[in-house]
Amino acid sequence: MSTDFYLVRHAIKEKEVGDVSISVEGFEQANITAKYLENFPISRIFSSPLKRAKLTAQIIGKAAKIPIVEDIRLRERANWGDLPGQTFEEFVAMWNQCTRERDFLPPIGDSARRAGERLSSCLIELSVQYPNESIVIVTHGGLITDFMLNEFSQDELNNTHSNFINEQSNLIAECSITKISCDGKAFCLYEFANIAHLSC
């Protein structure tokens, strides 16, 4: 028995500091994604507590008539604005160091490895609790990447993109869908960062 997960990166966000909303274009993306996911037997929707993910999840949930459940484990590795006074340039430098050094613990947030472990633990727990269901997880691009680097071999990653490790920060577009399954122990990857539904 296994559970199917549709990992959705939140829609395009406003370019501001802090816990920001999704943009006008983001609302359009989220509505298109919601309509696409109506084709699947979705039973539950879980979301990061950050506003950009919650708003995306709420749009999907409204279309599917499914309530949203927030889970702190789905939060991004780090969020610009969580460290008072941090400039965007300083945030990017911190983010890039975390990406290069997966065990580096930033002054706020999690290391890349620890962030990926958070998502793994969440999905394993949900797969045990809800076997044979299809669940949407609305989260963040960095967290999905951190999870994949923890759980899949370099060969598996390179099958999704020939230079996955070096390009990881640019591979998961807003409202892309990554489909995996979990049997309560191990993960299987079916589809990575699919955005075909956004261009239909």
Side-chain angles (χ1 to χ4, degrees):
M1 293 191 296
S2 64
T3 302
D4 288 334
F5 292 100
Y6 296 87
L7 309 181
V8 179
R9 184 185 176 188
H10 62 79
I12 294 173
K13 65 179 180 177
E14 297 284 1
K15 295 181 178 179
E16 298 174 6
V17 64
D19 188 10
V20 298
S21 177
I22 57 178
S23 66
V24 172
E25 185 180 358
F27 276 100
E28 183 179 349
Q29 275 188 331
N31 278 296
I32 293 169
T33 303
K35 187 171 183 180
Y36 173 73
L37 287 170
E38 288 179 345
N39 297 313
F40 301 93
I42 303 302
S43 55
R44 301 175 195 277
I45 302 172
F46 291 83
S47 174
S48 158
L50 291 176
K51 189 180 295 182
R52 55 191 182 270
K54 281 196 298 185
L55 288 171
T56 305
Q58 286 164 2
I59 291 168
I60 295 169
K62 183 177 180 181
K65 298 180 174 59
I66 297 172
I68 306 305
V69 179
E70 291 180 34
D71 194 309
I72 191 70
R73 291 173 294 181
L74 302 179
R75 200 180 192 278
E76 183 61 287
R77 180 203 303 171
N79 186 60
W80 181 38
D82 288 350
L83 188 62
Q86 186 181 48
T87 67
F88 182 67
E89 290 74 20
E90 289 168 339
F91 173 77
V92 169
M94 182 189 80
W95 181 273
N96 289 340
Q97 184 173 358
C98 286
T99 300
R100 291 190 309 269
E101 304 168 30
R102 303 201 68 241
D103 292 306
F104 168 72
L105 189 62
I108 194 153
D110 286 324
S111 69
R113 194 178 309 280
R114 186 182 295 176
E117 288 168 353
R118 274 198 278 112
L119 181 50
S120 294
S121 72
C122 180
L123 299 181
I124 288 171
E125 182 181 297
L126 292 175
S127 70
V128 171
Q129 197 170 358
Y130 305 113
N132 295 326
E133 294 193 24
S134 295
I135 298 175
V136 167
I137 303 288
V138 184
T139 184
H140 306 269
L143 187 65
I144 296 171
T145 304
D146 293 339
F147 158 78
M148 291 191 63
L149 284 162
N150 281 5
E151 297 296 340
F152 298 104
S153 69
Q154 189 165 340
D155 285 344
E156 289 174 297
L157 297 175
N158 286 340
N159 282 337
T160 69
H161 188 280
S162 59
N163 196 19
F164 188 99
I165 291 176
N166 289 333
E167 295 291 330
Q168 61 180 281
S169 295
N170 305 311
L171 298 180
I172 301 180
E174 289 88 350
C175 276
S176 64
I177 300 173
T178 296
K179 183 183 177 184
I180 64 166
S181 68
C182 181
D183 62 3
K185 295 179 181 178
F187 297 98
C188 184
L189 175 64
Y190 291 99
E191 194 170 60
F192 174 68
N194 189 343
I195 55 170
H197 60 285
L198 296 176
S199 56
C200 291

